[in-house]
């Protein structure tokens, strides 16, 4: 039978662990909150999700390998928490068959696009207000949206995105490409509606 | 086309040179590249990054506090229970059940006995004991089945198949704690799996039960045979405790291997009684 004794030093060790965690985690609170905001598309849910993420990260901080990318580790927890707990109550666009989207997209983007139009188009997109960029992002089907949030907004590398979403790197690459094209299509529509293009 | 997008992220690897060379000579692809970069950079516009709401980090701190309290809570409560007179502690324990509801997170809990009430404690008995078998003897032995699995992975899979409740166990081999074996228990009160670990020279047995299952959340304290059992829940952990002579025993369900490892680092392993 095991005989275990409570240590007198447990408290101070706990404090060190917590201090180390807080020192690392605090500087990512904005990133995590913004990631959660783009995932949930709701300020209230984002706050809860981001706070849950930090508490979960703290609870499993012993699993974090020192010297590896802490931000990527936090985003992995954020993504898992979102997928497991928050996505179920989400409204809004759901998954769309990937083939349909891409076939449609490739056809549209290949026509009528030339070098001469590229410069003004980029300038036009840059003049879109935040609200329309956010709206275009929110309309993105989730498979693409998650990859775009992690890679484009949070600037995680493909490998970290792949781990966070538990998908192969090749899938990250193709979803990101398709996601960007879907976004571009929507942004062009907004720009055209404003007479920018 | 997809390669162009990856090139913009510097994620292309060996192909990068060839694609760059192609961009030099292909106007359409160069336009595509510029346009994808423009979309990406639009998403990095600083004004899209919102400030965290006021009080955000304070709320995180409260969550961490709750987690810290919960980690010590079981231990602390059992300690304070034992600090009472032997007849008083069960009431104290029961009263504190309500506090447990506030606990957050994955929890530590184990079989603790703390010698705060010296006259009640045999001189060499200074710690808690894991006596899962004793508990099982009262609550589920009649239906215990032999356990045919010998690795954590097998146990986990069997557990999932049996009760559908995920058990997370360390995938990396534990240094100080190793999995010994386990068995499936099917009893009127305890329906789950018992896992046994070697912890130094000792053995620790833990119950993993279905979520809210065999030791139901909020289950009232009950007497079985000559003993009275006290039930409690802390987060995902279900706990049952009882007193035998001058020793307090507690068992926790849903303890995983990693949590046990974490615990093992926090407790001092003393030689077994009589060793």
């Amino acid at each position: 039978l095991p005989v275990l004794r409570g240590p007198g030093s447990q408290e101070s060790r706990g404090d060190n662990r917590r201090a180390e965690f807080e020192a690392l985690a605090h500087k990512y609170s904005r990133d995590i909150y913004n990631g959660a905001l783009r995932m949930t598309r709701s300020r209230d849910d984002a706050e809860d999700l981001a706070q849950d993420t930090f508490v979960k990260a703290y609870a499993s901080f012993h699993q974090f390998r020192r010297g590896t990318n802490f931000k990527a580790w936090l985003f992995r927890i954020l993504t898992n928490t979102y997928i497991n707990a928050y996505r179920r109550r989400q409204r809004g666009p759901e998954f769309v068959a990937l083939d349909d989207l891409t076939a449609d997209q490739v056809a549209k983007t290949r026509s009528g696009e030339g070098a001469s139009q590229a410069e003004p188009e980029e300038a036009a997109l840059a003049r879109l207000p935040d609200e329309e960029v956010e709206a275009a992002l929110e309309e993105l089907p989730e498979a693409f949206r998650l990859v775009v949030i992690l890679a484009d907004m949070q600037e995680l590398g493909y490998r970290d995105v792949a781990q966070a979403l538990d998908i192969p790197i090749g899938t990250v690459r193709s979803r990101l490409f398709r996601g960007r094209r879907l976004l571009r299509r929507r942004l062009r529509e907004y720009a055209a509606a404003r007479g920018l293009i | 086309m997809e390669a162009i997008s990856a090139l913009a992220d510097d994620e292309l690897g060996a192909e990068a040179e060839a694609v760059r060379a192609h961009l030099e000579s292909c106007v359409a692809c160069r336009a595509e590249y510029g346009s994808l970069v423009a979309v990406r950079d639009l998403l990095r516009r600083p004004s899209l990054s919102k400030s965290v709401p006021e009080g955000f980090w304070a709320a995180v701190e409260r969550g961490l506090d709750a987690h810290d309290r919960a980690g010590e809570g079981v231990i602390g409560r059992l300690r304070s229970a034992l600090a009472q007179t032997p007849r008083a502690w069960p009431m104290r324990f029961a009263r504190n059940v309500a506090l447990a509801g506030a606990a957050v997170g994955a929890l530590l809990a184990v079989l603790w006995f703390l010698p705060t009430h010296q006259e009640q404690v045999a001189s060499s008995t200074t710690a808690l004991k894991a006596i899962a078998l004793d508990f099982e003897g009262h609550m589920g032995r009649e239906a215990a089945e032999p356990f045919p699995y010998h690795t954590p992975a097998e146990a986990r899979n069997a557990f999932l198949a049996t009760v559908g409740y995920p058990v997370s166990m360390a995938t990396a081999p534990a240094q100080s704690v190793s999995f010994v074996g386990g068995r499936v228990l099917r009893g009127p009160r305890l329906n789950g799996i018992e896992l046994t670990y070697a912890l130094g020279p000792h053995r620790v047995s833990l119950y993993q039960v279905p979520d809210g299952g065999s030791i139901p959340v909020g289950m009232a304290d009950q007497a079985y045979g000559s003993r009275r059992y006290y039930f409690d829940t802390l987060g995902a952990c279900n706990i049952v405790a009882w007193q035998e002579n001058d020793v307090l025993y507690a068992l926790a369900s849903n303890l995983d291997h990693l949590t046990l490892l974490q615990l093992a680092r926090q407790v001092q392993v003393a030689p077994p009684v009589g060793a």
Side-chain angles (χ1 to χ4, degrees), chain A residues 86-168:
Chain A
Y86 286 79
R87 191 167 67 187
R88 277 184 222 119
R89 32 171 153 133
Q90 291 296 310
R91 50 167 178 83
E94 269 316 314
F95 287 90
V96 180
L98 303 189
D99 292 343
D100 296 346
L101 284 167
T102 50
D104 184 32
Q105 260 318 93
V106 170
K108 290 210 172 181
T109 50
R110 276 190 178 157
S111 64
E113 185 181 333
S116 60
Q117 294 174 4
E119 279 290 329
E121 184 196 42
E122 284 155 28
L125 295 188
R127 285 204 299 277
L128 285 172
D130 286 354
E131 292 70 32
E132 292 184 348
V133 178
E134 287 167 344
L137 179 68
E138 291 190 357
E139 287 165 30
L140 212 51
E142 186 167 86
F144 303 109
R145 192 160 49 91
L146 289 177
V147 172
V148 167
I149 290 169
L150 296 175
D152 281 351
M153 305 191 87
Q154 295 296 332
E155 306 187 33
L156 295 183
Y158 287 13
R159 196 168 54 98
D160 290 332
V161 177
Q163 281 186 0
L165 296 174
D166 204 18
I167 54 178

Side-chain angles (χ1 to χ4, degrees), chain A residues 1-7 13 18 22 30 34 38 58 63 115 122 126 128 130 152 158 173 180 184, chain B residues 5 9 11 27 34-35 44-45 47-50 61 65 68 112 127-128 130 203 258 265-266 268 270:
Chain A
L1 292 177
V3 181
L4 308 177
R5 181 180 293 134
R13 279 190 222 170
R18 178 151 171 179
E22 289 187 9
R30 187 173 180 132
N34 275 279
R38 299 306 169 199
Y58 180 57
Q63 289 171 279
E122 284 155 28
L128 285 172
D130 286 354
D152 281 351
Y158 287 13
R173 188 172 120 159
R180 285 169 175 169
R184 183 174 62 188
Chain B
S5 165
D9 299 322
E11 295 265 7
V27 174
S35 152
R44 294 183 182 173
R45 191 188 267 183
S47 55
L48 289 179
S49 167
K50 306 298 179 198
E61 294 273 0
D65 286 345
D68 283 343
W112 280 81
L128 79 154
R203 295 285 173 92
L258 271 178
R265 293 200 189 100
Q266 290 181 9
Q268 193 180 352

Side-chain angles (χ1 to χ4, degrees), chain B residues 110-111 130-132 135 205-207 238-242 249-253:
Chain B
V110 168
L111 329 167
I131 52 160
F135 176 60
S205 292
L206 304 170
Y207 287 95
N238 293 313
I239 298 159
V240 59
W242 67 98
Y249 300 98
L251 282 175
S253 65

Side-chain angles (χ1 to χ4, degrees), chain A residues 43-118:
Chain A
R43 280 171 193 264
D44 289 343
D45 280 354
E47 192 168 353
D48 288 348
L49 171 60
Q51 283 159 1
D52 276 5
T53 298
F54 282 114
V55 174
K56 277 179 196 237
Y58 180 57
S60 49
F61 190 42
H62 59 283
Q63 289 171 279
F64 172 67
R65 290 203 316 273
R66 303 297 187 273
T68 59
N69 187 340
F70 188 69
K71 179 179 174 179
W73 186 73
L74 282 178
F75 269 93
R76 187 173 190 173
I77 294 171
L78 170 69
T79 310
N80 285 335
T81 309
Y82 168 69
I83 290 172
N84 291 330
Y86 286 79
R87 191 167 67 187
R88 277 184 222 119
R89 32 171 153 133
Q90 291 296 310
R91 50 167 178 83
E94 269 316 314
F95 287 90
V96 180
L98 303 189
D99 292 343
D100 296 346
L101 284 167
T102 50
D104 184 32
Q105 260 318 93
V106 170
K108 290 210 172 181
T109 50
R110 276 190 178 157
S111 64
E113 185 181 333
S116 60
Q117 294 174 4

Side-chain angles (χ1 to χ4, degrees), chain B residues 182-207:
Chain B
R183 56 195 172 144
V184 176
L185 300 170
R186 288 183 208 282
R189 299 287 170 190
L190 191 66
N191 180 16
I193 204 166
E194 178 198 282
L195 301 173
T196 303
Y197 296 84
L199 201 157
H202 312 295
R203 295 285 173 92
V204 178
S205 292
L206 304 170
Y207 287 95

Side-chain angles (χ1 to χ4, degrees), chain B residues 135-145 185-190:
Chain B
F135 176 60
E136 180 249 318
H138 279 262
M139 301 184 82
R141 180 188 292 159
E142 65 271 24
E145 300 168 358
L185 300 170
R186 288 183 208 282
R189 299 287 170 190
L190 191 66

